[in-house]
Amino acid sequence: MNNQLKNIVTKQKNGEAVGIYSCCSANENVLRAALQAAKDGNYPLLIESTANQVDQNGGYTGMKPKDFKDFVLRLASEVQIDPNQVYLGGDHLGPLTVTSLPEVEAMAYAEKLVHDYVEAGFTKIHLDTSMKVADDDPNTRLSDETIARRGARLARVCNEVYKERLKLYPNSVRPVYVIGSEVPIPGGAQSASDEMQVTRPEDFKATYQKFHEAFLENGLEEIWDDVIAIVVQPGVEEKDAGCTEYDREKARELTAAIREPEFEKLIFEGHSTDYQTKYKLRELVEDGIGILKVGPGLTFANREAIYALANIEKEDLNIPEEEKSHFIEALDEAMVEDEKYWAKHYHGNETQRRFKRKYSFSDRSRYYIGQSKVQAELDKLVMNLNYYGINLALLSQFMPIQYTKVREGKLANKPEALIQDRIRNTIDEYTFATQQQLL
């Protein structure tokens, strides 16, 4: 079956400012909100997991590709959305998590990684071989030829696995591919001083050309037209203090290049678009960045909503003190006990680091919310608010947008509904920009 994501290219090349946002999250609240929004809006939904979230060993989520797919499909069934509206993607698939190994071992691991993603039915594959492995010269830039050679090797595996999958599932959707990785490391910048520069047109073209050559050399001409996007840096980045805002003037030469006849079957993919305004997001789509990745921006909204509910619980005199949850405290305790997911990202003295653990736009807390002790406090918070009810005055104080919807009868005054609606505030900004209901 043809991949509907190719329609983005068709729309873009016809001069239509249509794209799609990519929901890069494994958080259940985020996924439920995204699925419900797609159902309500009757548009295709793209959900992606990264190589460190989900891999053949379970990643940090504990899920292998098939597990993640089953998880999403279970939620889709509960939301009652047509599963054919949901497209699954794999992000930064390559030797990302095994760079300490030499090429032979690292690439064997990466081959197994892409094998499992395609075998599970993922239909958007980002081939990312831009990182150095143990036997690469640490003092020399990794060449475009090496990156492309390794990427084509993974593409060959993907194509072989898809052909095998067709024998079992004749209606399997054909995968599309994204190449390039002109972005910060997955997870975002680690320092306020990390430099971010717009991709030069000549670098984009060199990447494209080297990948094209590598695909042809590997006998992959039949799937070259399935390469629909190349990752570039248009000048955006989410970071601890918010984001670097899109400036279309700085990206003008880059975005003009994608309109050249040679690239009539290609669009750009933009990573780290979190916290851009909906108008800047629309400018990105208008300028040829047809796929907008968002991750921390969605989990930030989730965390923000839970904090609001925790404050409502704290201030409600009807809930006995001894019964109240301690979600905020439990989350910070979990982060302090294990610093590995935030220490490289949050800098400053202890007071500043404590503040960032709670409120940073980078939202490193997303790695901890699912831990058992933290989840237990969240479950207790939700149970209390469901049992005692949510005071309207406190709802107005801490979640004013949701308060208005509750008063108008558009939203249930229940913690689960309030959390998902807060996440949808962010989703709605992306769908305003992408107009993906037109795909």
Side-chain angles (χ1 to χ4, degrees):
M1 291 180 63
N2 289 329
N3 196 311
Q4 191 178 5
L5 297 179
K6 282 192 169 185
N7 292 345
I8 305 170
V9 182
T10 302
K11 294 283 186 180
Q12 284 277 333
K13 299 311 178 181
N14 286 338
E16 300 177 56
V18 176
I20 196 167
Y21 86 92
S22 173
C23 176
C24 299
S25 181
N27 180 277
E28 183 168 339
N29 287 335
V30 168
L31 294 178
R32 283 186 183 277
L35 288 161
Q36 187 64 54
K39 178 188 176 184
D40 293 346
N42 193 30
Y43 56 72
L45 174 64
L46 174 59
I47 295 172
E48 297 202 52
S49 58
T50 62
N52 51 1
Q53 279 179 324
V54 174
D55 68 8
Q56 59 264 51
N57 297 318
Y60 72 73
T61 63
M63 288 186 280
K64 299 177 181 180
K66 185 180 184 303
D67 300 327
F68 185 76
K69 180 183 180 180
D70 290 344
F71 173 52
V72 171
L73 290 181
R74 175 177 65 80
L75 296 178
S77 177
E78 292 174 8
V79 171
Q80 296 183 326
I81 183 176
D82 182 349
N84 291 321
Q85 285 180 238
V86 182
Y87 288 78
L88 293 179
D91 197 26
H92 294 288
L93 301 188
L96 172 68
T97 59
V98 289
T99 54
S100 61
L101 299 177
E103 179 176 356
V104 171
E105 296 176 46
M107 286 303 295
Y109 188 96
E111 286 185 337
K112 174 62 173 172
L113 176 68
V114 298
H115 173 283
D116 287 5
Y117 266 83
V118 176
E119 184 179 57
F122 285 65
T123 56
K124 177 183 177 290
I125 305 296
H126 174 207
L127 302 170
D128 185 5
T129 48
S130 63
M131 61 290 297
K132 292 181 180 179
V133 295
D135 46 5
D136 288 323
D137 185 346
N139 300 312
T140 304
R141 175 185 176 275
L142 200 60
S143 69
D144 290 333
E145 289 85 356
T146 298
I147 294 171
R149 172 178 58 80
R150 292 173 180 172
R153 177 175 166 182
L154 298 183
R156 184 174 65 244
V157 173
C158 293
N159 191 40
E160 291 170 354
V161 175
Y162 173 67
K163 289 179 177 178
E164 289 301 311
R165 180 178 170 79
L166 272 179
K167 297 176 184 178
L168 297 174
Y169 308 101
N171 291 326
S172 293
V173 173
R174 188 178 177 93
V176 293
Y177 301 94
V178 177
I179 58 175
S181 185
E182 187 93 10
V183 291
I185 61 171
Q190 295 186 357
S191 168
S193 63
D194 284 356
E195 292 187 9
M196 183 277 302
Q197 296 179 337
V198 174
T199 301
R200 299 185 306 167
E202 54 266 37
D203 291 337
F204 144 59
K205 293 177 181 179
T207 297
Y208 176 85
Q209 184 60 37
K210 292 302 180 184
F211 264 88
H212 192 190
E213 292 171 1
F215 268 57
L216 296 183
E217 289 171 3
N218 281 270
L220 298 173
E221 186 172 4
E222 65 176 307
I223 65 168
W224 179 246
D225 283 348
D226 295 321
V227 176
I228 65 166
I230 185 167
V231 179
V232 293
Q233 175 51 274
V236 301
E237 166 65 317
E238 60 87 6
K239 52 188 178 181
D240 180 49
C243 71
T244 301
E245 195 168 76
Y246 181 57
D247 183 340
R248 68 190 332 172
E249 186 58 39
K250 291 182 179 179
R252 188 169 297 279
E253 290 185 5
L254 174 65
T255 57
I258 198 64
R259 299 187 181 94
E260 295 177 11
E262 181 182 357
F263 309 113
E264 62 179 357
K265 296 182 179 180
L266 195 73
I267 56 173
F268 286 146
E269 175 170 289
H271 291 216
S272 297
T273 68
D274 310 73
Y275 308 112
Q276 302 289 319
T277 69
K278 65 181 182 181
Y279 301 107
K280 290 297 182 181
L281 292 171
R282 177 163 284 187
E283 286 182 4
L284 283 162
V285 176
E286 290 172 347
D287 292 347
I289 296 89
I291 303 171
L292 304 178
K293 292 293 192 73
V294 55
L298 296 171
T299 54
F300 179 89
N302 175 63
R303 194 273 314 152
E304 196 173 57
I306 297 171
Y307 273 24
L309 293 177
N311 281 309
I312 288 173
E313 180 196 41
K314 180 180 179 181
E315 295 293 329
D316 195 329
L317 299 177
N318 292 321
I319 304 177
E321 286 297 319
E322 65 274 14
E323 294 184 18
K324 291 182 178 179
S325 67
H326 299 90
F327 171 82
I328 295 175
E329 295 81 0
L331 179 58
D332 193 58
E333 288 172 6
M335 296 181 73
V336 171
E337 288 174 6
D338 182 3
E339 298 185 351
K340 68 181 177 182
Y341 293 119
W342 63 269
K344 293 181 180 179
H345 297 260
Y346 296 163
H347 307 282
N349 59 39
E350 180 50 38
T351 299
Q352 292 168 327
R353 281 151 57 95
R354 186 186 311 119
F355 178 88
K356 292 175 180 180
R357 289 197 301 270
K358 289 182 71 173
Y359 300 117
S360 170
F361 282 107
S362 295
D363 189 41
R364 307 302 296 179
S365 70
R366 67 186 184 273
Y367 294 92
Y368 300 86
I369 282 184
Q371 293 186 7
S372 58
K373 291 182 180 179
V374 182
Q375 186 63 47
E377 293 301 318
L378 176 55
D379 292 343
K380 188 175 183 180
L381 170 64
V382 170
M383 181 184 69
N384 282 341
L385 294 179
N386 275 322
Y387 182 78
Y388 289 99
I390 298 175
N391 182 282
L392 285 176
L394 293 174
L395 182 63
S396 178
Q397 175 67 40
F398 293 106
M399 302 185 79
I401 296 174
Q402 283 66 43
Y403 164 81
T404 298
K405 292 182 179 180
V406 168
R407 289 296 309 277
E408 293 175 349
K410 298 176 181 177
L411 179 65
N413 192 15
K414 296 291 184 180
E416 300 93 338
L418 296 170
I419 292 170
Q420 290 183 39
D421 192 74
R422 171 63 192 91
I423 297 167
R424 284 186 66 168
N425 293 157
T426 300
I427 292 172
D428 289 346
E429 296 195 333
Y430 277 86
T431 54
F432 167 86
T434 60
Q435 303 185 89
Q436 59 202 65
Q437 72 278 4
L438 299 178
L439 287 174

